[in-house]
Amino acid sequence: MQYNDFTLESAEARFDVVTVLGDLFPGLTPLPVPDWLRDVLARGQAVTALTSEKARSECFVMPVLLACRDLVPGDLTIFSGQRLDVDAELGLTG
């Protein structure tokens, strides 16, 4: 089962996960979004054939990660297209 086949409700039931609502990162100061990122994301929204996880990753996730890379010192490694098989018996593959 692919990760995107799970819903929050099914993960809570199947893996005994408890959702705790709250402020995950209190005290963060918002940073300006680069103009190039706004443009790329807007262009990605205009594409209607984003039916796969890979397509969504390429159009939305990668540009955001690249923008984050500009804000954080040091190296950033992105494992795009790599399988992350955690537990096949639980359906955590993909």
Side-chain angles (χ1 to χ4, degrees):
M1 178 181 288
Q2 298 289 326
Y3 289 105
N4 61 349
D5 291 336
F6 286 97
T7 64
L8 178 57
E9 294 77 17
S10 69
E12 287 174 331
R14 187 166 182 186
F15 303 111
D16 199 27
V17 173
V18 176
T19 302
V20 178
L21 300 178
D23 190 2
L24 184 60
F25 301 107
L28 286 182
T29 303
L31 296 172
V33 178
D35 290 337
W36 69 264
L37 179 57
R38 289 183 191 276
D39 181 54
V40 168
L41 295 177
R43 289 173 187 231
Q45 281 183 320
V47 177
T48 59
L50 296 177
T51 57
S52 72
E53 191 74 22
K54 182 72 172 157
R56 287 187 293 274
S57 172
E58 290 169 352
C59 282
F60 299 112
V61 176
M62 182 57 79
V64 170
L65 290 175
L66 290 174
C68 290
R69 182 182 174 273
D70 292 343
L71 301 172
V72 179
D75 294 332
L76 173 70
T77 302
I78 299 169
F79 296 98
S80 179
Q82 298 294 314
R83 290 188 59 86
L84 181 58
D85 295 334
V86 176
D87 190 328
E89 290 180 18
L90 293 176
L92 299 174
T93 61

